[in-house]
Amino acid sequence: MKKKRAGRIILFFVFLSALIAVFHSIHASELSPLAQIAEGMERQQVTVDEWTLHAKENLNLSLSEFDDKVKELKTQYPQYHWKTAREDKIVKAVGTYSDKKNHTTFKLQLVTTLKNQNPTSYLLYEQMSPEQPENWNDTYEQFERQAHDIFQNKVFIFTCLKGHLNDNMSIVLQKKAEQLMKEFEASPVEHVVEPHFVSVSAFTYKWTDYIMTSKHKMNVQVALRSAGMGGKHTVTVGTPIVTTEY
């Protein structure tokens, strides 16, 4: 009788564990990459200091078409403050807008590079903030909608968060990088290890988008830097790559 009761208890806890695992899996699948990275960093005791989202589209524009596109953007986004600059063979129009209430900066950048009479152009849309939003998922979805309005099609979204570890924490950078890789269920494909710096490029099935290295797929990058004894440990996580200075 006791054996049967013990067996039932074991089966109950096995079922409960499986149920919890399924719940976490469903929860994670509903979260955006921005929210997943933010939650993962929090679980690893990393305080987020700033975050960036950006999307980019390559274009084929002549100089006259560049000017027409700038006029179109200025008309569509009059709340942005626009500046145009020409340097050597680069023509650039940059529009910025600051949402002071939410401490968020928006940037639109149209660039054309003149090379052998064949201009190459791109349009970049970026959103950044030093403040954590009320809802990471809502912030990402809002950026998706705005990016679709700007580019009129689906574009690759680059997500990057930067934070720090408690100065009093004694850590080994490489070990912490491994813990972050585990957090995002990622398999390393490339890495750089220096005395005060570690960078790991990896691949995870959490996210469908990826880029190619020389040999492998990658869609997550983690970089950790220490200022030395008693210095701040900075942690930067990006998908598919880190797009800010680290």
Side-chain angles (χ1 to χ4, degrees):
M1 190 71 178
K2 288 182 178 179
K3 287 184 178 179
K4 285 185 178 180
R5 185 179 297 173
R8 287 172 183 168
I9 292 171
I10 291 170
L11 284 173
F12 171 76
F13 280 108
V14 169
F15 173 76
L16 185 62
S17 298
L19 195 63
I20 292 171
V22 169
F23 172 78
H24 282 304
S25 177
I26 293 171
H27 173 67
S29 67
E30 292 174 346
L31 294 178
S32 66
L34 180 67
Q36 289 183 58
I37 293 174
E39 287 193 0
M41 291 174 76
E42 183 180 352
R43 283 191 293 268
Q44 290 298 319
Q45 299 177 292
V46 180
T47 301
V48 175
D49 296 318
E50 60 184 73
W51 56 269
T52 304
L53 293 169
H54 87 249
K56 178 181 174 182
E57 182 180 45
N58 292 321
L59 304 169
N60 291 312
L61 299 176
S62 65
L63 277 177
S64 61
E65 289 171 332
F66 173 88
D67 290 336
D68 290 341
K69 185 66 176 178
V70 171
K71 290 177 184 176
E72 179 186 318
L73 290 169
K74 286 182 176 180
T75 301
Q76 290 178 331
Y77 304 97
Q79 72 273 34
Y80 282 63
H81 177 67
W82 290 93
K83 289 184 178 181
T84 303
R86 295 174 184 253
E87 300 175 5
D88 295 330
K89 294 185 178 181
I90 298 175
V91 186
K92 182 187 299 185
V94 180
T96 56
Y97 167 68
S98 294
D99 180 349
K100 294 181 180 179
K101 180 181 177 182
N102 295 306
H103 307 283
T104 304
T105 300
F106 302 82
K107 182 187 287 186
L108 274 167
Q109 190 170 188
L110 182 65
V111 179
T112 288
T113 304
L114 306 175
K115 292 182 178 178
N116 300 322
Q117 303 303 314
N118 294 315
T120 58
S121 309
Y122 67 83
L123 177 61
L124 177 75
Y125 173 53
E126 187 176 63
Q127 183 176 338
M128 65 194 82
S129 176
E131 300 284 338
Q132 296 188 29
E134 289 184 12
N135 188 297
W136 291 105
N137 240 25
D138 289 349
T139 297
Y140 188 88
E141 289 171 2
Q142 180 191 42
F143 181 86
E144 276 188 313
R145 290 192 296 271
Q146 291 171 332
H148 186 270
D149 288 342
I150 292 166
F151 300 107
Q152 296 300 307
N153 53 47
K154 182 176 172 59
V155 289
F156 214 104
I157 296 178
F158 292 78
T159 304
C160 190
L161 291 90
K162 188 173 183 177
H164 70 273
L165 287 157
N166 190 317
D167 293 352
N168 296 321
M169 291 179 65
S170 176
I171 68 163
V172 177
L173 293 184
Q174 196 166 356
K175 184 177 180 181
K176 194 63 183 178
E178 290 170 0
Q179 292 171 346
L180 284 160
M181 287 293 104
K182 188 175 180 180
E183 181 68 51
F184 301 116
E185 301 172 15
S187 301
V189 295
E190 292 181 357
H191 65 272
V192 176
V193 179
E194 298 175 1
H196 298 295
F197 174 74
V198 171
S199 173
V200 183
S201 301
F203 180 80
T204 175
Y205 287 99
K206 276 180 172 286
W207 306 310
T208 54
D209 290 335
Y210 63 87
I211 61 173
M212 293 296 299
T213 66
S214 56
K215 295 181 181 179
H216 307 280
K217 295 178 183 178
M218 70 166 280
N219 60 2
V220 61
Q221 187 176 24
V222 172
L224 296 94
R225 184 178 294 278
S226 172
M229 187 69 74
K232 182 180 288 188
H233 306 296
T234 59
V235 180
T236 309
V237 182
T239 179
I241 58 172
V242 169
T243 55
T244 60
E245 185 177 340
Y246 54 81

